[in-house]
Amino acid sequence: CSYRTQLTESCPMHDKCRTSAAAEQQQVQAKVKASEASRKAQYIAAVLIECHLEVLTARPEQQLALLEKCPSLQVPTSQLNVTYHEVPKGAVCDVSSVAVRPCQEPWLRARYTGEQWYSGAPTTACTPCDCSTFDCPTHYMLKEDAGTIPGNSVGQCCAEACSGFSCPTHHVPKAGGASIPGKTSSECCDEVCSGFTCPAHYVLRADAAITQGNTRNQCCEKVCSDFSCPAHYVLKEGSAAIRGYFGDLCCDKACSDFECPAHYVLKEGAASVSGSAVDQCCDKVCSDFSCPTHYILMADAAKTRGYTGGHCCDKACSDYSCPAHHTLKAGAAAIRGNTDG
C-alpha cells in the first residue's frame, strides 16, 4: 500500500516539476537571446568606433581611404554565439505495476488464491489499502475521510459529485461541481434569475438565464413605463420594454409646443402625441379651402379639421330661389343660408 501511494503520488509530482522547469528554461532562454543580440550589436559598434578612430589618427592622405572602408566592414560575431538546449525528454513514470490495488481479485489471484499451496494454507481476509489513492470514475470523488477508509470499490471509496447532476430549469451547476459532493439541487445548483418574476415597471435582465439570484435587485432592470417625462415630452412607444430610467432614453418630444404653419392646427391630444413635424403634429383646417360655386367657407373654418367640401363649406344664398315679391339680398354669394329669412 505504501509503495502504491508513493508511486502514484510521485508520478504527477514529477510531471508538474518538469513542466515548471521547462517553462522556467524558456523564460531564461528568452532573456539570454535578448542579451546575446545586444552584446553582438555592442561589439559591432565598438569595432566601427575603432575604425573611425584609426581614420582620425592616420596621415591626411590616408584618411579618406580608411573612412570609406568603415561602412563595409564585415564584423564576425560567432564567438559570441550562445548554445540553447532543447527541453530534455521526460522520464516515463510507469504505474502499471500498481494498476491493480491490493486485495482486488486479480491481485489476490496472482499472489495467493491462484497458487497451488493456497488450498492447503489459505490466508486470512485481505485488508485493503485506504481509499486515499483510489481512482474514482467520472462524476465521483473521494469521500472526505478517504484516508481512514479501507476499500477497493467505488461504493467504499467514492461519493457522487455534482458534476454528474442535471440541474432543473432556472438553475445552473455550481462552479467546481467535480469537487463538490452531492446529488440534489440544493447541493449542486445555484438558482438563476430566469425563473424570477419582476414587479411592475421592471423586466428581467438580459442575461437572466446565467445570472445567479432570486431578488429584484439581482434579477431585474428598471424600465421606462412609469418615468415622468418633462413638459412637452411623452413616453416612448414600447416604454415597458425599454431598460433605463432617464429622459433621453424614455421620452420623445411631444407635439404640444409644436408651431403649426398657416391653415393647420395641432392634433387633438397633442400633449400625448410624439412628433416634431407637420405631418406628425398638425391637422389641415378649412381656412384656405376653395368652396365650389354657391358655397362659402364655414364661419369657424380656421378651426375646422378636414379638407373637403362637406367639412369646410356651407350653402350660400346665391342660387336660392326667392318667392314672389322677394329678391336675393345684396351680397347673397357671401351669405350662408337656404331659407327665406
Side-chain angles (χ1 to χ4, degrees):
C1 289
S2 297
Y3 173 73
R4 185 181 191 280
T5 299
Q6 290 184 16
L7 182 60
T8 54
E9 289 180 353
S10 297
C11 285
M13 288 177 61
H14 169 268
D15 293 340
K16 182 178 179 180
C17 179
R18 182 177 180 277
T19 300
S20 176
E24 185 177 357
Q25 180 189 26
Q26 290 179 345
Q27 293 175 354
V28 171
Q29 286 186 353
K31 292 179 180 179
V32 172
K33 287 179 180 179
S35 178
E36 177 187 2
S38 174
R39 290 188 179 186
K40 287 181 178 181
Q42 292 173 15
Y43 178 73
I44 293 171
V47 171
L48 292 174
I49 289 172
E50 287 181 343
C51 180
H52 286 90
L53 287 174
E54 187 178 352
V55 174
L56 294 175
T57 59
R59 294 195 303 273
E61 66 272 14
Q62 296 176 323
Q63 286 182 333
L64 180 59
L66 291 172
L67 180 63
E68 290 175 347
K69 286 172 50 181
C70 291
S72 59
L73 278 179
Q74 297 296 318
V75 183
T77 58
S78 58
Q79 71 276 19
L80 298 175
N81 289 349
V82 176
T83 301
Y84 300 93
H85 298 284
E86 296 293 329
V87 176
K89 291 184 178 180
V92 177
C93 198
D94 185 7
V95 295
S96 60
S97 62
V98 294
V100 179
R101 291 168 59 86
C103 298
Q104 288 183 324
E105 180 56 34
W107 187 89
L108 289 173
R109 186 169 55 252
R111 290 167 173 78
Y112 295 98
T113 59
E115 298 291 338
Q116 294 181 353
W117 53 261
Y118 184 79
S119 59
T123 61
T124 59
C126 182
T127 301
C129 302
D130 66 62
C131 290
S132 60
T133 60
F134 186 81
D135 296 321
C136 293
T138 304
H139 305 314
Y140 282 83
M141 56 181 291
L142 286 175
K143 291 181 178 179
E144 185 176 358
D145 52 352
T148 64
I149 302 173
N152 275 319
S153 68
V154 173
Q156 293 170 324
C157 297
C158 305
E160 289 187 55
C162 286
S163 56
F165 184 78
S166 297
C167 293
T169 305
H170 308 309
H171 290 74
V172 293
K174 288 185 176 180
S179 59
I180 300 174
K183 51 185 177 181
T184 66
S185 178
S186 60
E187 293 171 322
C188 298
C189 308
D190 287 323
E191 189 175 358
V192 291
C193 290
S194 56
F196 185 78
T197 301
C198 294
H201 311 305
Y202 286 83
V203 294
L204 283 175
R205 52 190 296 162
D207 55 353
I210 58 173
T211 300
Q212 296 176 18
N214 57 8
T215 67
R216 191 198 71 182
N217 289 341
Q218 293 170 324
C219 298
C220 305
E221 293 177 330
K222 195 82 169 73
V223 291
C224 292
S225 53
D226 70 337
F227 185 81
S228 295
C229 294
H232 307 306
Y233 284 83
V234 292
L235 283 175
K236 288 186 177 181
E237 185 177 353
S239 59
I242 300 174
R243 293 175 170 85
Y245 209 67
F246 52 92
D248 289 347
L249 191 64
C250 297
C251 304
D252 283 332
K253 195 79 170 70
C255 290
S256 53
D257 70 340
F258 184 78
E259 293 187 6
C260 294
H263 311 304
Y264 285 84
V265 293
L266 285 175
K267 290 180 180 286
E268 294 180 352
S272 60
V273 177
S274 63
S276 57
V278 173
D279 60 331
Q280 297 170 324
C281 297
C282 305
D283 288 331
K284 193 81 168 74
V285 292
C286 295
S287 55
D288 69 338
F289 186 78
S290 296
C291 292
T293 305
H294 307 308
Y295 283 84
I296 59 174
L297 286 174
M298 302 177 83
D300 58 350
K303 297 180 180 179
T304 302
R305 293 174 172 83
Y307 209 66
T308 66
H311 285 100
C312 298
C313 303
D314 286 333
K315 195 77 169 71
C317 291
S318 54
D319 71 338
Y320 183 76
S321 297
C322 292
H325 313 301
H326 289 75
T327 185
L328 286 175
K329 290 182 177 181
I335 300 174
R336 296 173 184 84
N338 58 4
T339 64
D340 293 346

